[in-house]
Amino acid sequence: MILALREARAVLGRRAIRLALVVTVLAVLIGTTRVYSGTLDLSPSLFALATSDDQSRYIALIAAAMLGAEAGGLWHSTLRSSYSWVAGSSITQQTLQRVSTGFVLGVLCGIIYWLSRVVGSVITIIGSGHDLVLRDAGLVPIDSSAVWRLLVACGLAAATGALIGTATRRPLAAVAGSFVLFGSLLPIVGSFAARVPAIVSIQSFAPGGALTTLLESNAGISKASGLIALRSPRSAFGGAAVLLSWCAVLWVVSTFDTVLRSSSTSVSSRLRHTGLAGVGVIVAIALVLPPLAREALPWHLQPSWLEAKSRHASSIDVVKSFVASVSHGRYPVGLVPPKGIDVSDPFWAPLIQGAVVIGPQREMSSPSSVPVVATVRTGSRHTTVGYSFDLEPQGRSWRLRKVNGAVLRVVNGHTG
Amino acid sequence: MPQKHGVQPIESWLARPRLEATLLGPGWRFSALTVMIVGGLGGIWPVAALGASGSGVFAAFVNGCTATATASLIWLPPIAFLCIGRDTELGVRAIEISLGLGPRGLQARGWWNLYGLAFAAMLVGGFAGVVGGVVTNVSAPGRFSVGLVGSVGAAQSGAALSALIVVALLCGSLVEILGDRRSSLIAIWGTQLLTLALLSVLYFAPTLAFAQYLSPWIGIWPLRASSSMSPLFSSQLSYGAGGVALAIWIVAIRIVAAIMTPRRVSLPSSKERQE
C-alpha cells in the first residue's frame, strides 16, 4: 500500500497528469454550475445538490481510466520495471503493484471529483441567491451511497487503465487505448446509438459500459442514469463479470508479453502463461461472440425456430396439418381454420386432388410465409398451382392468416 | 533406505529433456494457442452459430476435442517437427545416444512423443471447449446441462479422431523425409494451401476434379460437398475414393521415409563411443 501511494505520488508529479486533472476539475465545475444555475427555483441542500445524478460522473470515470493507463504505461518508460526486477519482485507482484497504484490514483480522482462537485454546488447555490444549507430534504433526491460507489468505480476504472498501460507498455498508447475502451461513456456515443443500435450491444461489453452496469443496476440507486440504455447484461453481476473478464484478459496479455520479452526459459512458467493466455482469449470470445452471433443468425437457425421444429409446431408443420385436414375434409384437434375458408371451394381442389409439395425450408424467405405447390394431372394435362400460406405467431405455435393461390403453369402432353 | 537424491529412472529422465526440448522449441506456442482457441470455439460454436439453445458440459468437451482434432492440419506440423525432426538442439539426441538407444529406438521415441502430444493437445482442446461452453451459457443463457446435449455425433467425432491420427502420421513422415524445419513446414502447409486453392476453383472448373487425387490431404479434408452448406473449399470425392487415395499416399510416403530416414540418423560406432 505504501509502495502504491509512493508510486501514485510519482505519477501525479508529472506535468501532463496535473494538467489532465485540472482540466477534469474545470469540466466538472463548469458542468455542475451550468446544469443547475438555471433550474434552482427551490433551495436544495448542499449534500443533495453535490450528490445528485448527472453526466459529469462519466467524465470522472474516463479521467480515472486515463490516469491509471498513464501510470501503467509509465512503469516501463521510467525503468521502474527494471528496478522491481532487480529488487526481486515477480511479474505477478509487479502487476499487482501497478494495479493497486492505479486503484489509488482512481480513488484520488474520485475524491477530486467530489470536491469539485461540492465547490461547484456552493457556487451554484450562492450564485442563485439561496441560503447555504448542508443537509435538507430538497426536491433533488439524495443518494447517500453515490459517494463511495463512484469512488470505487473510479478506482476500478483506473485499475483497468493500469492494466491497459501494462499491456501496451507505452503511456500514450495506454491513454489512447483507455479512452477508446471507456470513451463509450461519452454523451456523443448515445446519439450514435440511436442510429446504430448495435452500439448498445457493444457498449454493454466494453469496460466503460460494464462499469456503469456494475454500479447502476441492481444497486439500489433511484434510477439508472446510463446515457445509453444498456440491454445486456443488465445485472450488476453481469457487469462485474464482464469487467473482471477484461481485467483477466489484460492481465494475461501483459504477463504473456512480459514473459515473451524476458529471458526466462522455465518450461512450467511458459506453459502456465500460454495456458492463461489461451483461456483469456476463449473467455473473451465466449463472452462477446455468442450474444452478437445469435442476433445475426438466419431465421432458420434461431433457437425459437429449432425448438418449434422439434415440437412439430413450426409454421411448416401447421401448413402440413392444414393441407392434410383439407385433403381429409376435417381439421385435426387444435387447428382452427381461418375465417372465411370453405374447403369445398374449388380454390382448394388442387391440394385435394394433386401431388403436393410443402416448403421446403430452403426456399422460404421467412418463417411466416410457407410456399406450397400442387400439381394436378388430368389426362395428359399437368396443371401446377402455387399457394402462399401467410401465418403469424400465436404463443408457441403459428396461426394461419391468409392464403394466396395462382396457377403457375399448364403443360399439355406427356412430360419426360 | 530410500535415497532422497538418487538416480532417476532412465525413462523419466529421458522423457523430461524431450518434453523440455519440445516445449522450448520454435512454434510450440503457436500450436498451443491454436489448440486452445480452436477447442474453445468448438464449445462455443453450437450456441453461437448453430442456434442450439444450450450446450452440455460433456458435449462441450466432445465438441472441443472434435474441433481440435479436425483442425490438426493447422497446429500439428510444428509439433511434428519438434518431436521427430529436431535432431541435436539442447543435446537431447546426444543424451539418448549416450544411453544406448539405436536408430529404431530413437525413431520410436519420436513417434511416441508425437502421438502422445497430439492426443494430449486434443484433450486440452476439449477442456478449452468446456471453458468456452460454460462461459457461453453465461453470456447467452440457454438450456444448461451436464450431459451430451448439443454434441456432435459419434461418426463426426470418430472421423476427427481418425483425421488426427492420419495427420500425425503424414506430418511425421514428411518431417522424416525432409529433415529441416523450414522445408517441412513449407511442404506441409504449402500442400494444404494448394489443396485449398484447387478446391476453391473446382466449383468453377469441374474438369480439374482428377487433381484432387494429387493431394495427400484430400482423404481427411474436413469439408465435403455432400455435407457442407457451400461447395466452396469442399472436396467432391466420395469417402471411399478419398480413403483409397489417402491409403495410397500413406504407403508411398512411408516407403520414401523408410528409405531416407536411416541415412539421417547416424549413430557413432562403438569405437567412437569409447573414444
Side-chain angles (χ1 to χ4, degrees):
Chain A
M1 190 62 185
I2 294 168
L3 268 176
L5 284 172
R6 200 174 291 166
E7 190 62 30
R9 198 179 65 182
V11 172
L12 286 172
R14 289 178 69 89
R15 192 186 300 164
I17 300 288
R18 282 183 300 206
L19 189 66
L21 279 177
V22 169
V23 170
T24 306
V25 171
L26 280 176
V28 172
L29 278 175
I30 293 168
T32 311
T33 50
R34 189 175 62 82
V35 167
Y36 293 109
S37 58
T39 57
L40 286 180
D41 295 330
L42 294 172
S43 174
S45 68
L46 177 63
F47 188 81
L49 190 56
T51 60
S52 62
D53 194 14
D54 72 5
Q55 298 175 0
S56 67
R57 64 177 59 185
Y58 298 114
I59 296 173
L61 284 175
I62 295 170
M66 292 168 71
L67 196 61
E70 174 84 7
L74 277 175
W75 186 276
H76 293 284
S77 65
T78 54
L79 295 179
R80 286 173 199 285
S81 56
S82 303
Y83 299 149
S84 301
W85 184 73
V86 171
S89 302
S90 67
I91 293 169
T92 310
Q93 286 171 331
Q94 289 181 40
T95 313
L96 265 178
Q97 201 172 334
R98 269 169 273 178
V99 170
S100 53
T101 302
F103 189 83
V104 168
L105 283 170
V107 172
L108 198 64
C109 191
I111 292 170
I112 293 172
Y113 168 79
W114 283 125
L115 289 176
S116 309
R117 286 293 300 262
V118 169
V119 174
S121 302
V122 169
I123 294 170
T124 305
I125 292 171
I126 294 174
S128 57
H130 295 293
D131 295 332
L132 191 62
V133 181
L134 280 183
R135 184 159 191 151
D136 190 18
L139 282 185
V140 185
I142 295 174
D143 180 15
S144 54
S145 67
V147 178
W148 64 263
R149 252 188 300 120
L150 189 89
L151 293 180
V152 173
C154 285
L156 288 175
T160 313
L163 281 170
I164 294 170
T166 310
T168 56
R169 304 170 77 92
R170 292 184 197 89
L172 191 63
V175 170
S178 62
F179 183 77
V180 168
L181 290 176
F182 284 88
S184 56
L185 294 168
L186 285 172
I188 192 170
V189 180
S191 59
F192 280 120
R195 295 185 182 184
V196 188
I199 287 179
V200 177
S201 301
I202 297 168
Q203 151 80 354
S204 302
F205 291 99
L211 197 62
T212 321
T213 315
L214 168 64
L215 288 165
E216 295 182 352
S217 58
N218 300 349
I221 199 166
S222 54
K223 57 187 171 66
S225 60
L227 297 175
I228 299 172
L230 296 174
R231 199 164 22 169
S232 169
R234 289 194 64 85
S235 68
F237 175 76
V242 172
L243 195 65
L244 284 176
S245 303
W246 272 100
C247 290
V249 169
L250 288 167
W251 188 306
V252 166
V253 168
S254 60
T255 309
F256 191 56
D257 189 49
T258 311
V259 167
L260 273 180
R261 289 162 195 260
S262 72
S263 57
S264 165
T265 54
S266 161
V267 173
S268 58
S269 68
R270 288 190 172 204
L271 269 181
R272 191 171 61 245
H273 292 131
T274 306
L276 278 173
V279 170
V281 171
I282 295 164
V283 169
I285 294 174
L287 280 174
V288 175
L289 180 65
L292 298 179
R294 254 191 182 179
E295 288 182 13
L297 282 177
W299 63 268
H300 57 85
L301 287 178
Q302 291 286 343
S304 56
W305 174 257
L306 295 175
E307 193 260 340
K309 271 181 75 176
S310 68
R311 287 189 294 109
H312 300 290
S314 68
S315 55
I316 295 178
D317 294 308
V318 170
V319 171
K320 278 181 182 171
S321 301
F322 178 79
V323 171
S325 66
V326 168
S327 304
H328 295 103
R330 59 186 173 79
Y331 295 104
V333 177
L335 182 67
V336 181
K339 281 182 181 176
I341 286 186
D342 178 11
V343 290
S344 61
D345 193 302
F347 178 79
W348 305 108
L351 290 180
I352 300 167
Q353 299 162 3
V356 178
V357 177
I358 299 171
Q361 181 181 291
R362 65 174 175 274
E363 291 182 6
M364 291 166 57
S365 58
S366 76
S368 57
S369 179
V370 180
V372 176
V373 175
T375 305
V376 183
R377 184 178 171 183
T378 315
S380 61
R381 182 186 167 104
H382 295 261
T383 306
T384 305
V385 180
Y387 294 90
S388 174
F389 284 73
D390 289 348
L391 302 98
E392 60 187 4
Q394 186 180 49
R396 296 175 69 198
S397 185
W398 292 81
R399 191 175 72 86
L400 271 177
R401 199 169 60 85
K402 193 173 68 177
V403 183
N404 294 319
V407 175
L408 296 179
R409 63 177 177 274
V410 179
V411 179
N412 284 310
H414 295 285
T415 54
Chain B
M1 187 177 170
Q3 286 183 317
K4 196 173 181 182
H5 302 289
V7 177
Q8 293 179 351
I10 288 175
E11 280 300 311
S12 65
W13 198 70
L14 265 182
R16 183 163 173 76
R18 167 57 73 178
L19 183 68
E20 288 193 4
T22 302
L23 292 178
L24 291 177
W28 75 270
R29 195 177 276 120
F30 162 79
S31 296
L33 283 175
T34 308
V35 160
M36 295 189 74
I37 291 171
V38 168
L41 283 175
I44 296 167
W45 201 250
V47 173
L50 301 178
S53 58
S55 172
V57 175
F58 282 107
F61 180 78
V62 171
N63 292 343
C65 287
T66 305
T68 309
T70 306
S72 56
L73 285 168
I74 301 167
W75 58 263
L76 199 55
I79 292 183
F81 171 76
L82 290 173
C83 290
I84 291 179
R86 207 171 179 208
D87 285 316
T88 52
E89 284 96 339
L90 300 175
V92 174
R93 271 290 156 88
I95 294 168
E96 291 174 350
I97 290 170
S98 68
L99 286 169
L101 281 173
R104 296 287 173 200
L106 294 174
Q107 195 179 18
R109 180 157 293 278
W111 282 102
W112 175 257
N113 285 330
L114 173 59
Y115 274 101
L117 275 175
F119 284 113
M122 190 182 73
L123 293 179
V124 168
F127 284 112
V130 171
V131 173
V134 170
V135 178
T136 299
N137 276 311
V138 175
S139 64
R143 200 178 298 158
F144 183 78
S145 65
V146 181
L148 283 166
V149 177
S151 75
V152 294
Q156 205 169 339
S157 299
L161 186 62
S162 310
L164 176 73
I165 294 168
V166 171
V167 168
L169 180 62
L170 285 175
C171 289
S173 304
L174 286 171
V175 166
E176 277 185 346
I177 293 168
L178 295 166
D180 70 299
R181 181 169 184 265
R182 184 179 294 176
S183 308
S184 305
L185 292 185
I186 286 176
I188 295 170
W189 281 333
T191 47
Q192 288 175 16
L193 280 175
L194 284 176
T195 309
L196 196 69
L198 171 68
L199 294 177
S200 67
V201 298
L202 207 58
Y203 181 70
F204 307 102
T207 51
L208 291 174
F210 74 95
Q212 294 178 88
Y213 292 104
L214 299 177
S215 168
W217 313 107
I218 204 70
I220 47 168
W221 198 253
L223 300 174
R224 295 275 166 181
S226 55
S227 57
S228 181
M229 292 175 79
S230 166
L232 203 64
F233 303 126
S234 298
S235 166
Q236 295 178 351
L237 291 184
S238 66
Y239 285 101
V244 171
L246 178 66
I248 293 171
W249 268 108
I250 289 174
V251 170
I253 289 175
R254 282 312 306 161
I255 289 172
V256 176
I259 294 168
M260 294 188 71
T261 306
R263 294 179 191 168
R264 294 195 172 278
V265 181
S266 54
L267 279 175
S269 64
S270 56
K271 193 178 176 183
E272 286 171 337
R273 286 190 206 174
Q274 284 171 2
E275 286 172 2

